Amino acid sequence: MNGESFVPYLNFISRWVLFVAVFYKAYRTREKGWALLTTAFFIDALDVESYILEPLGIILHPDAYAIASKIPNFLIAFLLMWGAVHLKYGESRLKHVVYISLFSVISYIWLLLLATDVLNNPTTRAILPSLAFGGGLIYVGNVLRKYVVSHHWVEMMFPWGLILLGALNLTYPVTRFIEWFAPIGFFMGAVFRLMAATGATKFVFYPLTPVTPPADVKIPPGAYLFPTREEVVHRFGNVWDKPGVILITREDVGMLKESIHPNSLVFWITRAKEGKLEESPTIYAMGPTKIDILTDLITRAIGQGYGLIYIDALEYLMLENGFENAVKFLLNVKDRVASAGGTIILVANLRTLEPRQRRILEREFSH
């Protein structure tokens, strides 16, 4: 198999790997942004014309092809931009709805014009669809780069692959008619998709690096309850500066980076942001109501060698989820830590709780 014949297979595989990775992310997080991106990448992976109609011997009518071939560009761009807005802001605000609605109207008018003699030049016909598709890829890539994906070089291939692919598509109306550049552009597109697929795979399936806690850390396994951080230090020393620690906290991120070990994993419970904020130590911003997702991430981290869980955000989790749901989460994590022979430390002021609530925590945690 020569290089030229290999490129279509590389392109095909990269499309589907990228779709599967994003689909799995959407399935695990149940977030609208990832669901929208999943749909966009699914349409791109299908490439109905090349992978379905052509093998079946179905040929689009020449007059209809000018319109039909441009519809996926607009549709994918629409989904990419809408999904990126949700990843960045967590919701679609009024201004975003206005912008996306305006884009939809412009796309509709452009498709109508394709059915007339107004746009009779092939380059002119491709300008807006290529700008939309390329711009959508660049926008979602920048959102992923700035707000979602960590600075790990492999994970950064995800947004940069999309950005480069988008930039390449911006040149499509001109470069498609340059005979010597066409095969080079096709190869570059396959490489950029492979970059994005590789980074997405690392980001979704392998977000944590295994750790090996040092043997000299003398913190016995079990579940412990303390009213303040100072009493934790008095009993066990400064557990924050040990490797292999998971922190579930409301502490300021800037202070966290200065006081914890680089091989720590932090889940900063906040509504302000979402996604990975730092690489070393690894800091994730996590919404307070996403306790099911948080449980899955903690379970995965325990399997990677993280052996000590430190929680000081119980009051905030109770405020957002109610006492029953917050305690179910807490006990679920406690059982998973115990089954792995690890340690969980809960810092909570019991005086703020009702007697029944205090008894539940006192029964489950040593103090």
Side-chain angles (χ1 to χ4, degrees):
M1 181 182 298
N2 58 44
E4 185 176 349
S5 61
F6 176 76
V7 173
Y9 294 97
L10 179 63
N11 208 353
F12 176 82
I13 293 171
S14 299
R15 288 172 187 259
W16 282 99
V17 170
L18 184 58
F19 159 71
V20 169
V22 176
F23 169 78
Y24 185 76
K25 183 70 174 178
Y27 171 76
R28 299 298 296 178
T29 64
R30 301 296 198 276
E31 292 182 359
K32 294 179 181 178
W34 290 111
L36 290 165
L37 294 187
T38 297
T39 307
F41 289 126
F42 180 61
I43 295 173
D44 186 53
L46 277 178
D47 194 2
V48 175
E49 179 189 352
S50 299
Y51 299 138
I52 298 179
L53 298 183
E54 188 175 313
L56 293 175
I58 300 174
I59 306 299
L60 290 173
H61 192 281
D63 293 336
Y65 180 78
I67 301 174
S69 63
K70 300 299 184 293
I71 293 176
N73 289 30
F74 287 122
L75 183 56
I76 292 173
F78 174 86
L79 293 166
L80 289 176
M81 291 186 288
W82 192 9
V85 165
H86 273 276
L87 290 183
K88 183 177 179 180
Y89 299 100
E91 60 180 356
S92 299
R93 301 175 183 175
L94 177 59
K95 65 177 182 179
H96 302 135
V97 175
V98 172
Y99 295 153
I100 293 176
S101 299
L102 181 61
F103 169 75
S104 301
V105 172
I106 294 173
S107 302
Y108 168 67
I109 295 173
W110 191 270
L111 290 173
L112 287 179
L113 291 175
L114 290 177
T116 69
D117 293 330
V118 174
L119 302 175
N120 55 11
N121 183 282
T123 299
T124 305
R125 288 171 173 267
I127 287 177
L128 189 59
S130 297
L131 287 176
F133 183 57
L137 288 169
I138 292 173
Y139 179 63
V140 73
N142 273 307
V143 169
L144 291 171
R145 180 177 62 87
K146 293 180 179 179
Y147 303 101
V148 181
V149 177
S150 76
H151 292 160
H152 188 281
W153 70 272
V154 178
E155 291 190 15
M156 286 299 289
M157 293 172 68
F158 182 15
W160 278 112
L162 297 179
I163 291 170
L164 292 172
L165 183 62
L168 180 65
N169 274 275
L170 293 180
T171 70
Y172 177 76
V174 175
T175 56
R176 64 173 294 197
F177 299 107
I178 303 177
E179 185 175 349
W180 63 267
F181 183 81
I184 298 176
F186 189 58
F187 174 74
M188 291 172 63
V191 170
F192 296 154
R193 277 195 174 88
L194 179 62
M195 284 178 57
T198 302
T201 301
K202 169 65 173 66
F203 168 68
V204 174
F205 297 106
Y206 305 99
L208 301 175
T209 302
V211 299
T212 304
D216 60 348
V217 176
K218 304 299 182 182
I219 299 178
Y224 301 92
L225 173 63
F226 295 92
T228 64
R229 179 183 174 184
E230 287 70 25
E231 294 200 26
V232 177
V233 175
H234 179 74
R235 177 78 175 274
F236 296 126
N238 187 7
V239 299
W240 286 40
D241 64 359
K242 305 295 190 297
V245 176
I246 301 174
L247 289 87
I248 304 171
T249 183
R250 287 275 296 159
E251 291 285 342
D252 180 76
V253 174
M255 296 177 59
L256 287 175
K257 292 190 294 184
E258 299 176 359
S259 60
I260 61 180
H261 195 278
N263 287 335
S264 297
L265 174 61
V266 179
F267 295 105
W268 182 43
I269 309 302
T270 178
R271 284 189 175 276
K273 296 182 178 181
E274 287 284 343
K276 187 179 286 188
L277 305 180
E278 298 287 339
E279 178 65 28
S280 181
T282 304
I283 301 178
Y284 287 93
M286 179 70 64
T289 59
K290 298 181 178 180
I291 50 180
D292 291 339
I293 299 172
L294 183 57
T295 302
D296 291 340
L297 293 173
I298 292 172
T299 302
R300 184 180 298 182
I302 292 172
Q304 295 287 331
Y306 290 83
L308 190 149
I309 316 294
Y310 179 98
I311 304 176
D312 65 11
L314 178 62
E315 288 89 347
Y316 187 50
L317 293 174
M318 289 171 50
L319 178 65
E320 294 287 343
N321 302 279
F323 177 79
E324 299 297 332
N325 289 329
V327 169
K328 285 180 182 178
F329 158 75
L330 190 63
L331 299 184
N332 193 354
V333 172
K334 171 180 173 287
D335 291 342
R336 294 169 189 260
V337 173
S339 65
T343 305
I344 180 171
I345 296 175
L346 173 64
V347 177
N349 185 358
L350 297 185
R351 290 178 296 181
T352 63
L353 304 179
E354 299 176 1
R356 182 185 68 87
Q357 297 171 342
R358 287 201 300 269
R359 287 194 296 271
I360 292 174
L361 293 180
E362 289 173 343
R363 184 172 63 247
E364 296 289 340
F365 291 82
S366 302
H367 57 94

